[in-house]
Amino acid sequence: MSSWLRSQWLAFQHSFDREEVLAGSHPKTTAVAVVGMWLVFGIIGYVPRLAEASQFVRPWIPILLSTIGGVFTLTVWREGARGPLALLATLLDNAFYSAAFVVAACSTQGGYAIGLAVTQGLVLIAFVAPTYALTLPFTTVMTIPPLLAFAVWMPSAAVSVILLCSWVMMLVGSVWASRRRELLAAQKKLTAAVTAANQIADESVQAALATTLLSLGNFLHELRNHQTSIRANLSYIAMQANLDAEARAALDDALESQEAEEQLTRDTIASLKEKAGPEAESFLIDEVIERVRSSAAIESDFEAAASSFRVKGSVDHLEGVLTNMVRNAEQAGATHMRFSSRLEPSGHALCLTVEDDGPGIPEEHWPNLFQPFGITTKATGTGLGLYLCRRYVELFGGTIAVGRASLGGASFDITLPGRTEKTGA
């Protein structure tokens, strides 16, 4: 028996949100509620004309009951809604508030009784039911006030119906509150799981990219060593005098190719070193767009609604994003592209739209388009291009979204924070 009672008590302990109850038991909130009840009962019970019309019998009883409820509520606040005493006070304060209205409704006549009964029902449905899930301790305590009313005062039919309907609606609201709380908890768990999964995926991709860069660096280092050996051997052969003209020409071509290969390796290593830790700099977006357009094989135009907009970050990152989009459009068969920009209402961000007249991207692919190793429109694609575009945009503190272009193909909206550069007159 004791274990059953303990389980019921624990069920009530987990039937409400502690922070919500603690906020509702704030001294200011409690004072307003209790003083308001004092005024209602006092005016109806002690103002001569109203007292005569309402026939309020012993109004001091509802005033006392509401005061006791206030003491319990302040106890909840003082205990921080923690511990056995706070839990007991949480269970009893609403019962005393309800009892105050029930006694007042049963101690008055006519419209006053109906009005007080309706007020009690509104309090139960609007404040009590959404806060507490349905448990045996809660149901038992909240059943006592209407049960005593029926047993002791025998209220009128109208008041009895209102009290009974209020009690039933409170129970229904508590069941709904319990279900809503379960759904919210499940949603929080799902959101946390998705966030953790995305974080793990991002970390895995970053680790894979870091490993790839290390492997590439090691490959280039070893390649340069082999190139040195090859060049030394070719130079040794070139110094031999017994080569005919054709062999000499072929050897010279090999030396030139080998020298170009060495230069490419040196340039690649230097570029990797430079990009290993790019420093943030301030630059104009228009200049980057024009540079990308000038080097693109595809025809494009640029509509700059907001010129001289300056952002802070790596120029290479933004140039890489735009170059990737130009390359994707070309490979998709687009013949024309359009770059356009508009200033956000706040004036602190710019939305850059890049669109083309290609076949576009199917809408069902949009949700996973920027995920690592996700959707790719090319048979030989890795699924990393648009993911890296997203990460580069996020380094600026911006966002990127895909849509359908007015030209008929794909459209990308890139929002970047920054500022408009002031120009002199």
Side-chain angles (χ1 to χ4, degrees):
M1 185 66 177
S2 60
S3 60
W4 180 80
L5 291 175
R6 189 180 300 108
S7 66
Q8 296 300 319
W9 186 249
L10 288 174
F12 173 70
Q13 182 178 350
H14 295 94
S15 68
F16 58 88
D17 183 85
R18 191 187 73 86
E19 297 298 332
E20 185 178 354
V21 169
L22 190 61
S25 62
H26 191 278
K28 289 184 179 179
T29 306
T30 305
V32 171
V34 173
V35 172
M37 295 173 70
W38 287 350
L39 290 174
V40 171
F41 301 143
I43 291 173
I44 297 175
Y46 293 111
V47 173
R49 292 183 60 183
L50 296 178
E52 182 180 353
S54 66
Q55 296 294 306
F56 202 159
V57 180
R58 292 182 290 274
W60 63 269
I61 296 179
I63 293 176
L64 176 62
L65 291 173
S66 61
T67 304
I68 295 174
V71 171
F72 280 126
T73 304
L74 291 176
T75 302
V76 175
W77 171 263
R78 186 188 63 190
E79 298 294 323
R82 296 183 184 275
L85 182 60
L87 192 60
L88 180 62
T90 303
L91 182 63
L92 294 178
D93 62 351
N94 290 301
F96 274 91
Y97 293 140
S98 177
F101 279 108
V102 169
V103 171
C106 294
S107 303
T108 52
Q109 300 294 324
Y112 293 94
I114 294 175
L116 290 168
V118 169
T119 302
Q120 189 256 2
L122 292 175
V123 170
L124 292 181
I125 296 170
F127 297 101
V128 178
T131 304
Y132 300 91
L134 189 64
T135 58
L136 182 59
F138 172 76
T139 305
T140 302
V141 169
M142 296 306 295
T143 303
I144 294 176
L147 190 63
L148 287 176
F150 296 137
V152 176
W153 284 281
M154 295 297 294
S156 65
V159 172
S160 298
V161 170
I162 294 172
L163 293 179
L164 181 60
C165 290
S166 299
W167 179 77
V168 172
M169 292 304 297
M170 180 199 67
L171 298 184
V172 172
S174 295
V175 173
W176 178 83
S178 176
R179 181 58 180 160
R180 179 175 61 89
R181 193 172 289 114
E182 290 175 359
L183 291 175
L184 288 176
Q187 185 177 10
K188 285 183 179 179
K189 290 182 179 179
L190 179 60
T191 302
V194 171
T195 301
N198 286 336
Q199 183 178 357
I200 292 173
D202 285 351
E203 291 175 354
S204 299
V205 170
Q206 293 300 320
L209 291 176
T211 302
T212 301
L213 288 175
L214 288 174
S215 300
L216 178 60
N218 182 66
F219 166 77
L220 292 173
H221 176 73
E222 294 298 324
L223 178 61
R224 188 168 58 178
N225 291 337
H226 289 303
Q227 288 172 339
T228 302
S229 177
I230 293 172
R231 182 169 183 78
N233 289 327
L234 290 176
S235 299
Y236 173 76
I237 295 174
M239 290 186 297
Q240 303 303 311
N242 56 351
L243 295 177
D244 57 25
E246 293 182 359
R248 173 69 63 180
L251 185 58
D252 290 340
D253 288 342
L255 283 170
E256 290 179 4
S257 298
Q258 201 277 334
E259 184 177 354
E261 185 179 321
E262 282 188 352
Q263 185 60 46
L264 178 62
T265 302
R266 286 193 296 270
D267 292 343
T268 303
I269 292 176
S271 177
L272 287 176
K273 288 181 178 179
E274 182 181 350
K275 294 181 179 180
E279 296 182 358
E281 56 183 307
S282 178
F283 60 90
L284 294 173
I285 288 183
D286 292 6
E287 295 178 354
V288 179
I289 296 174
E290 293 296 346
R291 189 159 56 248
V292 171
R293 289 183 60 221
S294 64
S295 60
I298 190 172
E299 179 188 353
S300 65
D301 55 71
F302 180 28
E303 300 175 1
S307 60
S308 303
F309 192 83
R310 187 172 290 275
V311 298
K312 189 174 183 180
S314 170
V315 176
D316 290 339
H317 286 169
L318 182 58
E319 190 168 341
V321 170
L322 299 180
T323 301
N324 184 76
M325 293 183 176
V326 171
R327 186 187 305 115
N328 287 347
E330 291 175 352
Q331 294 175 351
T335 59
H336 185 78
M337 294 189 70
R338 177 185 299 152
F339 297 83
S340 59
S341 63
R342 69 178 185 276
L343 196 63
E344 293 292 292
S346 66
H348 301 300
L350 183 80
C351 181
L352 173 62
T353 300
V354 182
E355 51 187 346
D356 61 65
D357 62 354
I361 301 172
E363 192 169 344
E364 61 268 20
H365 293 169
W366 292 358
N368 299 316
L369 194 63
F370 300 102
Q371 298 302 315
F373 305 107
I375 301 298
T376 176
T377 56
K378 301 186 287 293
T380 58
T382 63
L384 281 174
L386 289 176
Y387 164 74
L388 290 175
C389 287
R390 189 200 86 192
R391 293 306 300 263
Y392 285 159
V393 170
E394 288 175 348
L395 289 176
F396 286 95
T399 60
I400 182 171
V402 64
R404 179 73 61 185
S406 59
L407 298 177
S411 174
F412 293 91
D413 288 330
I414 304 170
T415 303
L416 300 172
R419 58 181 176 82
T420 302
E421 187 178 67
K422 296 181 180 180
T423 57

